[in-house]
Amino acid sequence: MLPWKRVLRPLTALLLAAAVATVPAATAHASSAPTTGWNDYSCRPSAAHPRPVVLVHGTLGNSVDNWLSLAPYLEDRGYCVFSLDYGQLSGVPVFYGLGPIDKSAEQLSAFVDKVLAATGAAKADLVGHSQGGMMPRYYLRFLGGAAKVNALVGLAPDNHGATLSGLTNLLPYFPGASDLINATTPGLADQIPGSAFLTKLNAGGDTVPGVHYTVISTKYDEVATPWQSQFLSGSDVHNVLLQDLCSLDLSEHVAIGLFDRIAFHEVANALDPAHATATTCASAFS
């Protein structure tokens, strides 16, 4: 191999890994905002909303930035709301969800136990964005989470992988890229379609008995693509496309989790289906 190719190969892999990492985090910020009102361990669920809600951030997100809009939205509606950080890499602050996803699921398991112990609730509801909507399925299937969770609501979850609009299909053409991603950001590698993690997660069906699943997607998603791959199959699954509810909704992968109140209205419906109301474009102002 020519010397310049020896230099170009790892450089190309590094650039590709950076591209994979930065697309979902287009609006990520430093985790400096206060968690006023949520993560209050003195909160006791009400009779109207008897289960605490655990928010699970996406790749390169964290327990604050991902939920600056949704956490207050749910709090205002009477929920006890909690959020965690998971998937931290040594030396990488603020941007989480990069560690091995099976280990992240173990962190979620411990956090749910902590929330249930503090609130006295028998079960929790989980709401996750992107990886945060997919990773809990490992907890439900392999770590005993199904006995402790009533519902999982995924906002643009990459349930069957994230192709980044086909970018990951180019990995075989960049020698060393896959090895670099595996070595440096295993949480990203686990989300590439066909990974050992996703193969294990989806073997034998998408769901487990006893848990209510809701998937909320947007056709403008550029990360968990094609957007149809986000949907789950199962007897207790509600798959939702935002544009079927409001054709004017232009949210893409990041916006659906950060500030789309139409999506938030569907989250509220999923958490309290007995009192669900129609989601329309007007839900943006509700």
Side-chain angles (χ1 to χ4, degrees), residues 33 78 100 163 190 200 211 216 242 258:
T163 67
D190 284 344
K200 178 180 178 179
V211 179
I216 305 170
L242 280 180
L258 265 60

Side-chain angles (χ1 to χ4, degrees), residues 113-128:
D113 286 348
K114 178 181 177 181
V115 168
L116 294 181
T119 60
K123 289 188 176 185
D125 289 325
L126 308 182
V127 179

Side-chain angles (χ1 to χ4, degrees), residues 207-223:
T207 64
V208 296
V211 179
H212 309 294
Y213 295 83
T214 299
V215 175
I216 305 170
S217 304
T218 170
K219 69 180 182 180
Y220 300 112
D221 201 302
E222 74 283 26
V223 176

